[in-house]
Amino acid sequence: MWPIIKLWLAVVPQAWSGLSVPSDDPRSEAVGPDPDRVLLLGPGKSAGYGVDTHELGLGGHLARELATLTKRGCSVDIISDPAMSTGDSRVAISWARLEKFDALVLTLGGADSLRARSSISWRRDVTALLNTVEERGSGTLHTFILGIAPIDAILSLPPALMRIVNLNIENLNAITEEVCRSRVSVTFVPIRPTQEMSPIRLESRTYRYWAGELAPVIAARLAHIAVRPSFGAAANPRAAPFDGAALTSNPVSNTLTSIMHSARELFGTSGAAVTFHNQEAHWFTSTSGVGDMRRDEAGAFCSAAFTTRGLVVLEDTLHDPRFSEHPWVVRGPRIRFYAGYPISAPNGDIVGAVCVFDTGPRTFDSSHESLLRELALRAEAAIHDQ
């Protein structure tokens, strides 16, 4: 089967070859105290095919999902290559510094999914890989293996060959799960495709779904670590009210500007901003892509994000009576799309928001909510340190 599939892939153009691949630092982080450290290793799902940054790939979504569950921070380091085999993963494990991590996540499959691997050879390779993990991790590191997903939407193959490949994937998953059950320090996490995600496509919402399957299982294993409140988790009644003077310091201003640039790049919008306010004034500390703006107009436009503790989305401002006549909509930057997530002061008051906006209406991808929240948490961390 493999020679036929290899020939077909060489002759017939494949959609996956045109997918974007993250070129940024292979690491994702969610802000919070006492961060958990996770190593994500393997081909396929770890590589982030289909998104432009690891923040929108499996690593980024997993960091944010775990931080939400544990109320701690989380950093995910990524070692991946689309061509990695199970043997290559074993080599990578042999030189990785596993003592730095609290959990290891393996995404096996890749080219192995296309080869007609015998049950004996696959069992041997997975067993050897887990033996190496136990040796390098001193037997204390817990390992999570994410099941191999069907590849119907990833490769273009004749129906007969596709059925054979997917049957092979089912067989590999069954063997992997059986091997994992024999080890107390290993957990197999199967892929459960939903009707809405069939066929599975490599995009941000898919990676978020996979992270959502992994995170509760990993968080349960990390529960022995003391849980502390995350930034903004609860109000501190003794903390002083927010002072806008903190925004003028160079470290805070530079951090907020970096967050603003990240928001615009990650969401692919024409504009982004980090805004703050109190009862007397509105401040725009960082703006991009919107030209000149009056601060009173800015405050009025972003006030929706100042009155809620969750995400605010306006997919088309012309269809919202609160904003359809706003100067920013009918004149100025002519904003048609807006999304903002609130920023809390140390005492719990909402004092600002991280915002992205565009000149045309857009449908907000729900898988991006956790990313906007993470940017707001980074802004909170910057002002809390002052």
Side-chain angles (χ1 to χ4, degrees):
M1 182 184 67
W2 172 239
I4 299 175
I5 292 177
K6 190 174 182 181
L7 177 61
W8 182 275
L9 296 179
V11 174
V12 179
Q14 299 293 317
W16 69 268
S17 61
L19 293 176
S20 58
V21 183
S23 58
D24 54 350
D25 184 26
R27 187 173 188 273
S28 295
E29 184 174 5
V31 174
D34 193 20
D36 295 311
R37 299 158 299 176
V38 178
L39 176 60
L40 176 63
L41 186 148
K45 294 181 282 292
S46 296
Y49 265 97
V51 295
D52 296 322
T53 167
H54 287 292
E55 292 286 357
L56 297 178
L58 180 59
H61 284 298
L62 181 59
R64 294 186 292 275
E65 292 285 343
L66 275 173
T68 299
L69 292 174
T70 64
K71 309 303 180 185
R72 298 188 297 273
C74 182
S75 64
V76 177
D77 287 78
I78 304 165
I79 300 176
S80 181
D81 188 301
M84 285 179 79
S85 66
T86 307
D88 296 329
S89 297
R90 182 185 176 192
V91 172
I93 286 294
S94 67
W95 53 259
R97 296 180 58 190
L98 296 186
E99 70 276 4
K100 294 170 45 181
F101 300 99
D102 300 302
L104 169 66
V105 177
L106 297 175
T107 59
L108 306 182
D112 286 327
S113 304
L114 301 176
R115 298 187 177 97
R117 299 292 307 277
S118 70
S119 299
I120 295 175
S121 64
W122 179 254
R123 186 186 303 273
R124 181 190 62 229
D125 288 351
V126 173
T127 299
L129 173 62
L130 294 180
N131 286 341
T132 302
V133 171
E134 289 186 0
E135 293 169 3
R136 298 290 298 170
S138 302
T140 60
L141 180 70
H142 201 91
T143 302
F144 303 85
I145 298 183
L146 185 60
I148 307 170
I151 60 173
D152 302 65
I154 301 172
L155 293 180
S156 175
L157 291 172
L161 287 179
M162 186 65 74
R163 283 194 296 271
I164 294 174
V165 170
N166 282 330
L167 285 173
N168 182 49
I169 288 175
E170 291 179 10
N171 184 50
L172 299 184
N173 279 332
I175 295 171
T176 304
E177 184 173 11
E178 182 182 341
V179 173
C180 291
R181 281 200 301 265
S182 65
R183 298 171 184 253
V184 295
S185 62
V186 183
T187 300
F188 179 79
V189 182
I191 291 290
R192 300 182 179 90
T194 63
Q195 187 173 0
E196 295 77 13
M197 298 181 63
S198 180
I200 293 175
R201 303 184 185 280
L202 296 180
E203 55 190 10
S204 180
R205 67 168 188 157
T206 301
Y207 291 119
R208 186 192 186 193
Y209 169 71
W210 287 337
E213 294 288 290
L214 273 167
V217 185
I218 298 176
R221 288 288 180 173
L222 297 175
H224 65 281
I225 302 176
V227 176
R228 304 172 187 173
S230 62
F231 292 118
N236 179 359
R238 297 184 179 181
F242 177 69
D243 182 4
L247 305 176
T248 61
S249 69
N250 285 335
V252 173
S253 179
N254 292 340
T255 298
L256 297 178
T257 299
S258 175
I259 292 171
M260 179 268 301
H261 285 306
S262 295
R264 186 180 181 186
E265 179 179 353
L266 291 171
F267 286 89
T269 54
S270 59
V274 179
T275 72
F276 288 88
H277 81 131
N278 63 12
Q279 293 181 348
E280 289 79 32
H282 296 280
W283 308 286
F284 258 80
T285 60
S286 300
T287 61
S288 176
V290 290
D292 295 331
M293 292 188 288
R294 293 173 52 190
R295 292 177 186 270
D296 56 345
E297 293 177 352
F301 193 88
C302 296
S303 61
F306 298 148
T307 58
T308 178
R309 293 194 176 274
L311 174 73
V312 174
V313 175
L314 305 173
E315 294 188 335
D316 190 341
T317 55
L318 289 180
H319 295 164
D320 192 311
R322 297 172 299 171
F323 299 93
S324 58
E325 300 298 326
H326 192 280
W328 281 14
V329 176
V330 298
R331 299 189 301 276
R334 296 187 181 276
I335 293 175
R336 293 287 299 279
F337 167 83
Y338 170 90
Y341 204 93
I343 299 170
S344 297
N347 68 351
D349 292 340
I350 296 177
V351 296
V354 176
C355 316
V356 291
F357 31 84
D358 220 331
T359 54
R362 292 176 53 159
T363 300
F364 187 78
D365 186 343
S366 60
S367 69
H368 291 179
E369 178 179 355
S370 60
L371 179 57
L372 197 58
R373 180 179 68 239
E374 173 59 25
L375 293 173
L377 287 174
R378 293 180 187 178
E380 288 182 18
I383 63 173
H384 288 192
D385 290 340
Q386 293 303 300

